């Protein structure tokens, strides 16, 4: 979902913003703004977006013969 067409505007993954401490972003266009803020100058930068980690697989439900040839 990193490169989907419709991205919700959010300053923490905008090309103009730099994440500071907590929920604060320093924007080159608007100054200091909230992290979830979005404006008309929003430009998506996929390198700033951190994807959600996938769930760990549960191998407890498999038997040993499931892994043999």
């Amino acid at each position: 979902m990193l490169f989907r067409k419709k991205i919700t505007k959010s300053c923490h993954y905008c090309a103009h913003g730099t994440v500071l401490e907590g929920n604060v972003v320093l924007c080159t266009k608007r100054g200091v703004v909230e992290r979830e803020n979005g404006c008309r100058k929003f430009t998506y930068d996929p390198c700033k977006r951190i994807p959600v980690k996938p769930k760990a697989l549960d191998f407890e439900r498999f038997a040993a013969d499931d892994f043999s040839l």
Side-chain angles (χ1 to χ4, degrees), residues 2-15:
L2 260 153
F3 300 104
R4 63 180 183 228
K5 294 289 183 187
K6 293 187 179 183
I7 300 291
T8 306
K9 292 181 180 181
S10 182
C11 287
H12 70 275
Y13 48 83
C14 178

Side-chain angles (χ1 to χ4, degrees), residues 2 4 14 19-21 24 28-29 32-33 38-40 43 48-49 52 56 59 64 66:
L2 260 153
R4 63 180 183 228
C14 178
V19 177
L20 299 176
E21 298 176 9
V24 180
T28 58
K29 302 291 182 181
V32 179
V33 294
C39 68
R40 293 185 302 168
T43 305
K48 290 186 178 183
R49 189 151 191 178
V52 179
F59 291 109
D66 289 335

Side-chain angles (χ1 to χ4, degrees), residues 1 3 6 10 20 25 29 44-45 50-52 59 62 68-69:
M1 292 270 185
F3 300 104
K6 293 187 179 183
S10 182
L20 299 176
V25 175
K29 302 291 182 181
Y44 179 61
D45 185 3
I50 300 170
V52 179
F59 291 109
F62 297 110
S68 63
L69 294 174

